[in-house]
Amino acid sequence: MNEPVEPPREPVPAPMSASAAVPADGAAAVAGAPAAAVPAAAVPAAAVPAAAVPAAAVPAAAVPAATAPAATAASRIRSLHPGWFASVMGTAIVAVATYQNPGNVSGLVGVAHAVGIAFSVVAYALGVALTVAFAIRWARHSDASLADLRHPVLGAMHGTLPGGLLVLAVMTSAVGTAYLPEQFAVGLIAVLAVVGIAIALVLSVAFSITLFSGRPPAEAVNGGWLIPPVVTIIIPMVLVPLMPHVSSGNARLLLALGYAALGMGFLLYLFVMGLLHDRLVLHPLPPSALAPSLWIGLGPIGVAVLASLALARAGHTLFGPTATSVSMISLLIATALWGFGLWWYAAAATLLVRYLRAGRLPFHLGWWGFTFPLGAFTVATLNVARAWEAPVIEVVGVLLFASLIGFWAVVATRTVQATASGEVWDR
């Protein structure tokens, strides 16, 4: 059981020197956090590519002035953090949540739509820039990319890439159709869906095989392992918008595949959640650097709620006389899952307060783990409220939305500051 003590206070790590950039025991830095965030035994020495050494750690004399900018750019691409696409997921879900006009105030519809569209534009821009950067990294630095994929923490972060593409597709169906031509929007959703689903399935299996064969210790279990299930649960949400644009036979196929993906993702979520629960109960709490990963548990819950409702609506004309029953059962299941989400939100928030009372949380890109999970649960709450026509639940959705905006603003600001200072490139 957890010892009744506060988590250890961990100072923000100082920039690494050239000699300290790669620990002798092979423990890699996690999501920009101190190497101590993951037990040394959990990470083989090969998991830390030599290029992970920050460019700033190389003596200036070793790099000619004329080639320094190019060398810096190359090193940043090589050591590009696999979790960057979490910023796309977080920004896109804020766009969706805002566009839905939390509180359902008629006088704010125009403002909500305008702000939601603005967030969607930012999400698209991030998605394009990061897609190009990651394509270059995999093409030129596949060794570094594969090393990250084998890492027990960073490996799961690769799931944010297909996750970002799929959430962009969801955002396009919810927000993009307001200002994009219909045919272009449908085509964009289809392309993002095909590419996102293919990468999601490959990475999900690849990371799982890495865990099966690597035998990481219990202390290495963290909320980041939930990212692959989150990605597969999103698949139904990108198939549903395509159903009206295909034949009835293909629409039925898409519906079946949507339910299959929902089952795949949710069962994986239950398996990993069991591991995470046991890790939290039977071992000391994770170090503060991994505190944001505990919020990731909200993501699969929120998406599962939305997928259950969306599939029931999409299949209403295909279910025949059972359509009403399917819709009601789906709503009941979605509401039950939403209730568990409330519990996990309370648990994650309580643990976050405990970490903050024990000391300052070191900033790293893993902080984006606060945004998409909370955003998915916020959108799920708004949908449950409107399905039940329950104003009280709508108020809960408004409160969740307020906290979502707060988290996004803090994380986005810190990311911009860290990018400007160069801190975000240090791993």
Side-chain angles (χ1 to χ4, degrees):
M1 300 295 289
N2 293 332
E3 300 178 6
V5 296
E6 301 294 336
R9 297 175 181 269
E10 298 187 12
V12 177
M16 295 183 293
S17 66
S19 60
V22 181
D25 60 7
V30 178
V38 172
V43 186
V48 186
V53 180
V58 181
V63 182
T67 62
T72 300
S75 66
R76 287 178 175 179
I77 288 292
R78 182 178 178 85
S79 61
L80 190 67
H81 195 285
W84 262 107
F85 257 91
S87 65
V88 178
M89 299 177 69
T91 304
I93 200 64
V94 169
V96 174
T98 305
Y99 196 82
Q100 290 198 354
N101 186 24
N104 220 12
V105 179
S106 58
L108 296 178
V109 172
V111 175
H113 286 185
V115 176
I117 290 173
F119 272 110
S120 72
V121 172
V122 175
Y124 282 133
L126 287 172
V128 171
L130 291 174
T131 297
V132 172
F134 272 88
I136 295 174
R137 185 178 192 238
W138 275 95
R140 297 184 179 179
H141 309 289
S142 58
D143 57 333
S145 300
L146 289 173
D148 282 348
L149 184 62
R150 298 187 187 102
H151 192 282
V153 175
L154 295 178
M157 300 300 158
H158 283 81
T160 63
L161 193 161
L165 299 179
L166 293 176
V167 177
L168 283 176
V170 174
M171 183 191 74
T172 301
S173 67
V175 183
T177 53
Y179 62 95
L180 296 176
E182 181 181 2
Q183 292 303 316
F184 177 81
V186 173
L188 180 59
I189 294 171
V191 171
L192 291 172
V194 171
V195 177
I197 290 172
I199 299 176
L201 294 176
V202 170
L203 288 181
S204 178
V205 174
F207 178 67
S208 297
I209 295 301
T210 299
L211 294 182
F212 297 161
S213 59
R215 295 191 178 186
E219 289 82 0
V221 178
N222 65 91
W225 287 13
L226 291 164
I227 296 178
V230 171
V231 172
T232 52
I233 290 178
I234 299 173
I235 292 175
M237 300 297 296
V238 302
L239 296 181
V240 167
L242 298 175
M243 290 177 59
H245 304 281
V246 298
S247 65
S248 59
N250 287 332
R252 189 178 297 273
L253 174 61
L254 291 179
L255 184 64
L257 293 176
Y259 275 108
L262 175 60
M264 179 195 306
F266 193 71
L267 285 176
L268 288 171
Y269 167 70
L270 293 179
F271 294 157
V272 179
M273 200 65 170
L275 292 174
L276 181 60
H277 178 270
D278 287 352
R279 187 256 183 271
L280 294 175
V281 172
L282 301 176
H283 300 274
L285 288 174
S288 59
L290 292 177
S293 73
L294 299 178
W295 285 72
I296 297 176
L298 276 176
I301 299 170
V303 178
V305 169
L306 294 170
S308 298
L309 298 176
L311 289 170
R313 286 193 300 266
H316 196 272
T317 58
L318 301 176
F319 292 139
T322 62
T324 302
S325 299
V326 171
S327 296
M328 179 53 65
I329 292 173
S330 298
L331 177 57
L332 294 175
I333 292 174
T335 306
L337 294 176
W338 176 75
F340 174 65
L342 288 177
W343 183 91
W344 190 257
Y345 175 87
T350 301
L351 288 175
L352 178 60
V353 171
R354 180 173 176 174
Y355 278 114
L356 291 173
R357 289 179 60 189
R360 182 182 177 187
L361 296 184
F363 175 75
H364 50 84
L365 286 176
W367 277 33
W368 282 101
F370 289 123
T371 57
F372 174 76
L374 179 56
F377 188 65
T378 299
V379 176
T381 301
L382 296 175
N383 278 259
V384 168
R386 293 166 190 181
W388 284 107
E389 298 181 359
V392 173
I393 301 180
E394 183 81 22
V395 172
V396 174
V398 172
L399 296 176
L400 290 173
F401 177 73
S403 65
L404 170 63
I405 294 299
F407 272 116
W408 186 90
V410 171
V411 177
T413 300
R414 293 296 301 272
T415 301
V416 171
Q417 292 173 345
T419 302
S421 68
E423 175 191 353
V424 78
W425 308 110
D426 296 338
R427 286 213 273 144

